[in-house]
Amino acid sequence: MPKDWFEWHDLYKTEPRLQQRLEIVREFIAHSLNFSPSGVIRVVSVCAGDGRDLLGTLVNHPRAQDVHARLVELNPQLVERGKATIESLGLTKQIEFINGDATIASNYLGAVPADIVIVCGVFGNLADENELNRLLGNLSFLSKKGAFVIWTRGHSNSIPHSETVRTSLQKAGFAEVNFKLTATGDMGIGIHRYLGENVPEPKEQQFFVFSGIANRAR
């Protein structure tokens, strides 16, 4: 079992469900880019890992030069790997990787409201449904009206946790665009659009608590 999140990301080399999840996430990011208005596309990624979902999408996407993004990740090794990828893509002037706490609102100032918000690998690492709703309530700070929100949620013990997320997003003012399960059937990936107005100030400085650990990640 992985001892930290840097080791956990190496599971992408061997775990079919993670490989399938990544493929669908990239598909949804590409969709978001395709349907974003002309001009600059602002993207933020929460708990970004090494950024392989967004950066892998931009490798061959025709709108890569329109993307201005901020990725926030606490693990310094993952950040360094992500920065190396950004440099290899020639996107250092457009994409910044912040080594910091993704739960803190100040780490997004100057980058929001965004056109695309990526919250993959987050919902399964929250303590309970109340914490999920707390985070969803603060997405209005990260998202402009009409923003695409891309998320993932793993299942466990035959419980389809992604259905709870879908229902909660709808209640929070997000309309579902698409939803898919991995072929393994135990990971859900969704893309929603924010129907409300952007809130210029977060409800609280720490808008969620990431309580997960790598060897129990869902």
Side-chain angles (χ1 to χ4, degrees):
M1 297 295 288
K3 66 180 181 181
D4 59 29
W5 291 106
F6 186 76
E7 285 191 0
W8 183 89
H9 278 72
D10 284 338
L11 295 176
Y12 278 102
K13 299 174 183 177
T14 57
E15 288 281 348
R17 64 185 189 133
L18 290 179
Q19 295 165 351
Q20 294 162 17
R21 184 181 82 167
L22 179 61
E23 181 179 355
I24 298 170
V25 169
R26 286 177 173 172
E27 174 191 337
F28 287 175
I29 293 174
H31 175 93
S32 302
L33 295 171
N34 293 340
F35 286 91
S36 290
S38 59
V40 171
I41 304 172
R42 296 198 175 276
V43 182
V44 294
S45 182
V46 179
C47 300
D50 57 11
R52 68 180 65 200
D53 45 15
L54 174 63
L55 301 178
T57 306
L58 295 180
V59 170
N60 295 310
H61 199 281
R63 298 204 63 187
Q65 296 300 320
D66 292 334
V67 172
H68 287 250
R70 180 176 298 175
L71 293 77
V72 185
E73 168 59 44
L74 191 60
N75 184 288
Q77 294 172 288
L78 289 170
V79 172
E80 287 306 309
R81 188 155 68 185
K83 286 182 175 179
T85 303
I86 292 169
E87 186 172 356
S88 71
L89 294 174
L91 297 174
T92 54
K93 294 182 179 180
Q94 301 164 231
I95 301 178
E96 56 180 336
F97 223 128
I98 302 294
N99 184 195
D101 189 342
T103 74
I104 303 300
S106 59
N107 282 322
Y108 302 94
L109 294 178
V112 295
D115 300 284
I116 301 172
V117 178
I118 302 170
V119 281
C120 294
V122 178
F123 294 158
N125 292 289
L126 304 178
D128 51 34
E129 193 171 336
N130 288 332
E131 195 65 17
L132 169 64
N133 289 326
R134 177 184 170 200
L135 172 52
L136 295 183
N138 282 288
L139 285 182
S140 56
F141 164 66
L142 301 179
S143 310
K144 65 174 55 173
K145 186 173 185 177
F148 292 97
V149 176
I150 300 158
W151 58 274
T152 63
R153 181 64 168 98
H155 297 177
S156 60
N157 300 319
S158 300
I159 301 173
H161 294 293
S162 58
E163 293 304 312
T164 299
V165 176
R166 297 170 78 183
T167 300
S168 298
L169 277 163
Q170 184 178 13
K171 291 178 180 178
F174 295 83
E176 186 168 287
V177 177
N178 201 349
F179 173 81
K180 291 186 177 183
L181 284 173
T182 57
T184 56
D186 57 354
M187 283 196 167
I189 305 93
I191 175 172
H192 281 65
R193 292 199 87 167
Y194 179 49
L195 302 180
E197 300 293 337
N198 171 252
V199 177
E201 297 290 336
K203 296 179 180 178
E204 49 201 322
Q205 182 57 218
Q206 184 177 30
F207 49 78
F208 71 100
V209 174
F210 187 93
S211 59
I213 54 177
N215 62 10
R216 295 183 182 177
R218 291 177 290 175

